[in-house]
Amino acid sequence: MTADAKTKTTRQRGSWKQDPEAVKADILRVAREEFAAHGLSGARAQEIASRTKTSKRMIFYYFKDKENLYREVLEQAYRDVRTGEKALELENLDPVAALRKLVAYTFDHHRANEDFIRLVMIENIHRGSHVAESDTIRAGNSPVVEQLKEIVERGQQQGIFRDDIDPLQLHWKISAFCFFNVSNEATFSVIFGNEMTTQTGQDSLKADVVDTIVKSVLTTST
Amino acid sequence: MTADAKTKTTRQRGSWKQDPEAVKADILRVAREEFAAHGLSGARAQEIASRTKTSKRMIFYYFKDKENLYREVLEQAYRDVRTGEKALELENLDPVAALRKLVAYTFDHHRANEDFIRLVMIENIHRGSHVAESDTIRAGNSPVVEQLKEIVERGQQQGIFRDDIDPLQLHWKISAFCFFNVSNEATFSVIFGNEMTTQTGQDSLKADVVDTIVKSVLTTST
DNA sequence: GGCACAATGAACCATACGGTTAATTAGGTG
DNA sequence: CACCTAATTAACCGTATGGTTCATTGTGCC
């Protein structure tokens, strides 16, 4: 009443605590989900803001513009995934067991990080222009290839792996299987049915993928 | 002349021929390129119109709205690709040779149809909602799986292929390799270098992919 | 030729959307 | 506590964009 009446043009504003880091983290988390769900052009700044504890203004205050926010989301996503890739302890396993474990792990890991997969899909739609601009992404060359190289060398020393294996190409093949499994699930199941999407389908597929990769590196028993 | 004199407030409009089918085809062609390049939300109606011989008006006249245009683009793309998939004449080849030919062909075919790959990527970003709505896409179950099934059965009869092969799962593995090769080229080469993008890299990869698939179906010589 | 209807062009519209301006508050420092 | 700056709120803005209105022209048909 009286208090209300006194609100000339400017009204009473609520009080608030400052917590910049939490606000930034909040924005990044929601932005990641929104970009993963709708892509760069499909995501809406207003929608990101709404799902945040803060306002649209703060998004541009901290992240300059939409594209820059997207880039930071990408960088964080790559950072997170790479962090989670470590410590498989493959050194104590024989080469075949190590490879099996690595492939199975990658299969599950991709499944469990669908948002990351989707961000990479989106980035490929944009022809990788944003990852190309990010030094931090280009620099942190995923350690998986190094692990593979080590496994391959041990297998070759033991004479059970072929001599013409390119670790990068091997990594490519593993990635192709594990990535495609998540990235193309939607269209594949619409066209060919849900057979491979079910739990048993995925189990069968994982076993097949692991076997296929292992067979591709073993020396052909003459 | 008399016709010229009649131009009150409305000015002389250029004359034109009617050719609805050509106009529609023109729009579809450009729209396909634009959607493949920028995605559903990223593509601009005005930009599609500009690259067309017709106007933005006609896009909505013939295709109702953007989403419907996108759906028709998708349908046409699937139709085209399936048409191009036929006639490999694998019946006369022994199972291994037939499989090798099919895989190598798929590898090249995906490479040569990048726009289609990109449309499928985009559709997966949208969780396949548009292909799901299209009867014509769901219906025309790609004949490749049938071809594979036939090859597999022949191989099994000859005792050179394993007995536990699921043709659909085999198709999945071939697709994974050939699709990923195109879909993830951008990010993969940014992060791991261009080694696999060069002509020699692609040749080596294709050979590896073919071998890997073939080895996965052969009976393990005990 | 003239009628009905499909096809087309030009201009227009409502609004969604990325981004900004301006005022206000919190919190640290001397 | 006074003062400065970073953080935050509320309101606003210009324009890009999907879509439409309306008048006009082509075309087959009787």
Side-chain angles (χ1 to χ4, degrees):
Chain A
M1 306 295 279
T2 51
D4 288 335
K6 190 61 200 312
T7 59
K8 304 173 178 177
T9 53
T10 58
R11 84 186 46 186
Q12 178 79 12
R13 298 195 180 187
S15 62
W16 39 270
K17 291 276 183 65
Q18 286 189 185
D19 196 347
E21 293 312 311
V23 168
K24 277 192 249 186
D26 193 20
I27 293 173
L28 274 176
R29 179 185 56 82
V30 175
R32 179 157 157 177
E33 295 175 7
E34 287 294 315
F35 282 128
H38 309 293
L40 172 53
S41 52
R44 300 291 164 226
Q46 182 53 56
E47 179 62 20
I48 295 174
S50 301
R51 295 185 46 207
T52 300
K53 272 175 284 191
T54 182
S55 66
K56 193 174 73 165
R57 173 68 181 82
M58 300 311 289
I59 293 176
F60 297 99
Y61 180 71
Y62 283 124
F63 297 96
K64 184 185 169 187
D65 60 20
K66 197 188 188 185
E67 213 166 320
N68 196 58
L69 172 61
Y70 169 76
R71 199 177 307 123
E72 294 213 29
V73 162
L74 253 190
E75 289 181 358
Q76 194 208 41
Y78 268 94
R79 207 162 33 229
D80 287 358
V81 154
R82 279 169 182 165
T83 307
E85 266 179 355
K86 296 170 184 167
L88 267 186
E89 294 172 5
L90 304 170
E91 307 80 18
N92 306 323
L93 298 173
D94 68 280
V96 171
L99 184 57
R100 297 186 80 89
K101 184 171 178 180
L102 178 64
V103 175
Y105 172 81
T106 305
F107 190 95
D108 293 335
H109 188 255
H110 280 50
R111 246 280 80 95
N113 289 277
E114 193 172 327
D115 273 2
F116 174 71
I117 301 290
R118 293 176 64 86
L119 285 173
V120 174
M121 292 165 72
I122 288 160
E123 187 50 17
N124 274 293
I125 293 292
H126 293 280
R127 299 209 152 80
S129 58
H130 306 90
V131 284
E133 282 174 11
S134 167
D135 299 327
T136 76
I137 295 179
R138 284 211 319 278
N141 210 332
S142 131
V144 182
V145 181
E146 290 306 314
Q147 288 180 282
L148 268 176
K149 191 178 174 191
E150 189 265 348
I151 295 172
V152 166
E153 281 168 356
R154 284 199 289 134
Q156 288 170 332
Q157 280 160 12
Q158 295 180 23
I160 55 178
F161 280 8
R162 291 160 53 199
D163 282 326
D164 62 345
I165 298 170
D166 178 357
L168 181 58
Q169 203 157 311
L170 178 56
H171 169 65
W172 183 98
K173 290 190 290 183
I174 297 168
S175 288
F177 281 150
C178 298
F179 193 98
F180 182 88
N181 184 45
V182 180
S183 70
N184 285 52
E185 182 182 325
T187 54
F188 199 92
S189 71
V190 165
I191 294 172
F192 299 104
N194 289 90
E195 178 183 331
M196 319 202 52
T197 313
T198 62
Q199 185 59 49
T200 53
Q202 285 283 295
D203 290 345
S204 161
L205 190 58
K206 177 163 45 163
D208 192 5
V209 161
V210 171
D211 282 351
T212 299
I213 292 294
V214 168
K215 273 184 189 154
S216 80
V217 298
L218 292 179
T219 53
T220 45
S221 46
T222 48
Chain B
M1 311 285 276
T2 50
D4 288 335
K6 191 64 196 305
T7 59
K8 300 177 178 177
T9 54
T10 57
R11 83 187 49 189
Q12 174 80 13
R13 298 194 181 186
S15 62
W16 38 272
K17 292 274 182 64
Q18 285 188 184
D19 196 347
E21 293 311 313
V23 168
K24 277 193 249 185
D26 193 21
I27 293 173
L28 274 177
R29 180 185 54 83
V30 176
R32 178 156 156 179
E33 294 176 6
E34 287 295 314
F35 282 128
H38 309 293
L40 172 52
S41 52
R44 302 287 163 231
Q46 182 53 56
E47 180 62 21
I48 294 174
S50 301
R51 297 185 44 207
T52 300
K53 272 176 283 189
T54 181
S55 65
K56 195 173 70 164
R57 170 71 182 80
M58 300 312 289
I59 294 175
F60 296 99
Y61 180 72
Y62 283 124
F63 297 96
K64 183 183 168 186
D65 59 22
K66 196 187 189 186
E67 212 166 320
N68 196 59
L69 173 61
Y70 170 75
R71 199 176 309 122
E72 295 213 28
V73 162
L74 253 189
E75 288 180 0
Q76 194 208 41
Y78 268 93
R79 205 164 32 228
D80 287 358
V81 154
R82 280 170 182 165
T83 307
E85 267 178 355
K86 295 169 185 169
L88 267 186
E89 293 172 6
L90 304 170
E91 306 80 17
N92 306 323
L93 298 173
D94 67 280
V96 171
L99 184 57
R100 298 186 78 89
K101 184 170 178 181
L102 178 62
V103 175
Y105 171 81
T106 305
F107 190 94
D108 293 335
H109 188 256
H110 279 52
R111 238 295 67 98
N113 289 277
E114 192 171 328
D115 273 2
F116 174 72
I117 302 289
R118 293 175 63 86
L119 286 173
V120 174
M121 292 166 71
I122 289 160
E123 185 52 15
N124 273 293
I125 292 292
H126 292 280
R127 298 212 151 79
S129 58
H130 307 89
V131 282
E133 281 173 13
S134 167
D135 298 328
T136 75
I137 294 179
R138 282 212 321 278
N141 211 334
S142 125
V144 181
V145 181
E146 290 305 314
Q147 288 179 282
L148 269 176
K149 190 179 174 190
E150 188 264 349
I151 295 173
V152 166
E153 281 168 358
R154 282 198 290 131
Q156 287 170 333
Q157 281 160 12
Q158 296 181 22
I160 55 178
F161 281 7
R162 291 161 52 201
D163 281 327
D164 62 346
I165 297 171
D166 177 357
L168 180 59
Q169 203 157 310
L170 179 56
H171 170 65
W172 183 97
K173 289 190 290 184
I174 297 168
S175 288
F177 280 149
C178 299
F179 193 98
F180 182 88
N181 184 44
V182 180
S183 70
N184 284 54
E185 182 182 326
T187 54
F188 199 92
S189 70
V190 164
I191 294 174
F192 298 104
N194 289 90
E195 178 183 331
M196 319 201 52
T197 313
T198 63
Q199 185 60 49
T200 53
Q202 285 282 296
D203 290 345
S204 161
L205 191 57
K206 180 169 31 170
D208 191 5
V209 161
V210 171
D211 282 350
T212 298
I213 292 295
V214 168
K215 273 184 188 155
S216 80
V217 298
L218 292 179
T219 52
T220 44
S221 45
T222 46

